[in-house]
Amino acid sequence: MNDIRQQDATALRTELLAGTISPLEALGRTIERFNAWNPIINAIIHPRLDQALHQATQVDLNQGALAGVPIAVKDLGCEQAGEPFHCGTSFLRNLNWKSSYNSYLWSSLETAGAISIGRTNTPEFGSTITTEPTAYGATRNPHEIKYSAGGSSGGSAAAVAAGIVPIAHGNDGGGSLRIPASACGLIGLKPSRGTVSAGPTKSEHRHGLGIDGVLTKTVRDTGLALDVISGLRYGDYVTTELPIASYSKLLAADPGSQKIAIATFSAHPACVDAVNKTASLLEGLGHQITADKNPPEWFSDDVTDQTIVLRTIGMAQELYRWGEEIGRPITQEDVEPSNWWSAELGNTLPGTMYVAAQNWLHHWSRRTSSFWNDFDLLITPVLGSLTPTIGLLSNPETGQQQLRELIGFVDQANVTGQPAISVPVGEHKGLPIGVQIIAARGHDALLLQIAQQLEDSEAFTTLSNEL
């Protein structure tokens, strides 16, 4: 575990401030890892190494909490003025489209002194849980390249797991931080809704389902990054009260004895074993464990059906918006078949169905909220089965059924807006397995404290040390 901590952003900042390494030398190490790994795993699709080298010569180490730290940015959200913005699509790649403005998120990272080495691969519009866009090809898992790095933040996860960067931006509208974290043996926190601003051009991500975050190797790096990117901005549609102290400081606090429920439903035995291992460890740390307990209706198929309404209408709106941006309608030839099908379905659904779906999901969230009067945390698998191989979900005959079996544990926290974290406590045949921990909304710090306890207990899978 100490080996991992020696590689993280927090340790790098200590070296930089002590003068034992310069920003240019730190970036040189990053570039070495990039050259060794990126041709194999296809994580960073828009490298900006020359610009990063120039920035490294100009760093003021007192500028902010990430000054001199190399990072990567997912090519979906986190817009950077003048940088490519393709969202995994062929039509934006062909136009060499670049963002015209900085998102609030990137402004926060840039103000903190982070040095972006490039933008990472993502499935087209981030619409699935593996990263295999037609436009840029598959991102492979650094632990075993025939397997996926997950999605939709798969490029970012692969970049961190391979040790190219210690921190990478991602976002999560349906497990898109937690799933690649599980696949690659990382920490992936989906913050509470309203913790990270979606501005300036959006009021919220993915109809309230999505939010930005980061992928890291250590809990302390997640806290460090969350301190940088969290905060309310004028005009934010949904907000969540932040803790008085920083997340980094709260990591050292004792969370006390928490009441924790465990739900594994019908997951793969290896995923169940990882959950049970986590529960046993936490029980040994003084927490109270209740098995086979979950919020009411938590695994209802109706949740999936209602989120499909939001996502298909959302895809139709996305294609319409991009048509307005590029000055012509988006056609079937411009996008992948699954997203075209989704948009076509969305175009047939009336606006009343969209409003009804939102209302249903709001009421469902209220009905599940009683659970959090009795329990502080819920632990589940991240995925219902093992990390898929490259190409598994694109099989037209079996892909959709495989997808439904995999994602039954992640959407719920996107709907409720609760924080959820994937921690790497399991493995199966050399591949990491993450376990998901969910807290009540606004209790992100509690998740980090529990994850820190697991990390300190040497529970984390250390496969990443072998890369």
Side-chain angles (χ1 to χ4, degrees):
M1 185 58 59
N2 287 333
D3 289 342
I4 293 177
R5 288 178 179 155
Q6 289 167 6
Q7 302 165 7
D8 71 1
T10 304
L12 176 58
R13 278 287 293 162
T14 300
E15 287 187 83
L16 288 167
L17 291 170
T20 56
I21 190 172
S22 71
L24 201 56
E25 289 169 333
L27 187 57
R29 293 193 310 202
T30 291
I31 292 173
E32 286 180 9
R33 297 290 288 185
F34 171 87
N35 289 334
W37 274 102
N38 206 60
I40 300 169
I41 59 176
N42 190 33
I44 297 171
I45 55 173
H46 304 304
R48 55 185 309 277
L49 303 183
D50 289 341
Q51 300 96 311
L53 284 166
H54 175 72
Q55 287 177 259
T57 66
Q58 308 294 315
V59 170
D60 174 1
L61 291 175
N62 296 312
Q63 178 179 339
L66 295 176
V69 175
I71 69 166
V73 177
K74 181 180 178 181
D75 194 25
L76 184 71
C78 200
E79 294 87 344
Q80 301 164 283
E83 296 294 332
F85 188 70
H86 297 170
C87 306
T89 69
S90 296
F91 71 90
L92 290 176
R93 179 202 61 192
N94 295 341
L95 290 169
N96 192 26
W97 193 265
K98 295 181 179 180
S99 180
S100 60
Y101 68 94
N102 285 331
S103 63
Y104 288 160
L105 175 59
W106 172 244
S107 295
S108 295
L109 291 165
E110 187 175 42
T111 299
I115 299 174
S116 170
I117 69 159
R119 295 180 69 87
T120 63
N121 203 9
T122 179
E124 188 180 77
F125 294 121
S127 61
T128 190
I129 66 165
T130 62
T131 301
E132 305 173 46
T134 300
Y136 286 101
T139 293
R140 298 180 177 274
N141 194 314
H143 296 282
E144 174 49 69
I145 62 171
K146 72 178 182 180
Y147 286 90
S148 173
S152 63
S153 305
S156 290
V160 175
I164 299 173
V165 289
I167 294 175
H169 156 258
N171 35 45
D172 191 318
S176 291
L177 280 163
R178 291 159 287 161
I179 291 168
S182 176
C184 293
L186 304 174
I187 310 297
L189 171 69
K190 182 195 82 66
S192 292
R193 183 181 297 148
T195 301
V196 181
S197 177
T201 60
K202 304 180 188 75
S203 59
E204 57 184 4
H205 284 304
R206 301 290 166 114
H207 323 284
L209 300 178
I211 191 168
D212 289 290
V214 295
L215 290 147
T216 70
K217 286 186 176 180
T218 61
V219 180
R220 66 184 187 176
D221 270 8
T222 300
L224 174 68
L226 193 57
D227 284 334
V228 168
I229 66 175
S230 62
L232 312 181
R233 297 292 192 114
Y234 179 78
D236 283 351
Y237 178 65
V238 177
T239 60
T240 292
E241 185 175 353
L242 301 179
I244 297 173
S246 70
Y247 292 102
S248 296
K249 289 182 179 178
L250 288 170
L251 280 179
D254 183 352
S257 178
Q258 302 294 313
K259 293 177 289 185
I260 302 174
I262 308 297
T264 54
F265 199 46
S266 57
H268 186 281
C271 302
V272 175
D273 286 347
V275 170
N276 290 336
K277 171 189 173 183
T278 305
S280 179
L281 286 164
L282 290 174
E283 189 169 41
L285 291 168
H287 301 290
Q288 305 166 51
I289 305 297
T290 301
D292 299 320
K293 188 73 175 178
N294 53 263
E297 305 177 58
W298 197 247
F299 297 111
S300 169
D301 288 338
D302 291 337
V303 177
T304 301
D305 294 340
Q306 299 299 328
T307 57
I308 286 173
V309 173
L310 298 189
R311 287 173 173 144
T312 54
I313 292 177
M315 183 59 68
Q317 188 272 335
E318 186 89 354
L319 298 192
Y320 175 82
R321 181 181 71 83
W322 276 112
E324 293 284 293
E325 281 280 331
I326 70 173
R328 67 164 178 82
I330 304 301
T331 68
Q332 186 171 357
E333 287 69 37
D334 289 319
V335 296
E336 295 175 18
S338 60
N339 286 330
W340 182 256
W341 175 88
S342 180
E344 287 284 271
L345 174 58
N347 277 320
T348 68
L349 303 178
T352 52
M353 185 173 285
Y354 177 87
V355 174
Q358 280 205 320
N359 286 338
W360 190 94
L361 291 168
H362 290 324
H363 285 300
W364 174 84
S365 297
R366 290 191 182 98
R367 293 196 297 274
T368 67
S369 64
S370 61
F371 177 84
W372 305 98
N373 296 327
D374 300 317
F375 293 94
D376 303 300
L377 299 167
L378 174 67
I379 300 182
T380 77
V382 174
L383 287 175
S385 191
L386 303 175
T387 299
T389 54
I390 299 292
L392 179 68
L393 300 186
S394 60
N395 185 312
E397 295 181 1
T398 62
Q400 283 303 307
Q401 180 58 38
Q402 295 269 7
L403 182 62
R404 288 185 76 95
E405 292 172 2
L406 283 165
I407 62 173
F409 293 96
V410 289
D411 260 348
Q412 295 91 335
N414 292 96
V415 172
T416 63
Q418 293 172 244
I421 192 170
S422 175
V423 292
V425 297
E427 65 94 14
H428 182 73
K429 296 183 178 179
L431 278 176
I433 294 175
V435 167
Q436 176 176 233
I437 310 175
I438 305 171
R441 187 167 162 190
H443 289 222
D444 305 54
L446 174 59
L447 284 187
L448 293 175
Q449 289 166 349
I450 297 295
Q452 187 67 67
Q453 285 190 322
L454 291 168
E455 183 178 329
D456 291 341
S457 71
E458 304 291 323
F460 281 10
T461 303
T462 55
L463 297 173
S464 57
N465 287 343
E466 301 167 9
L467 295 176

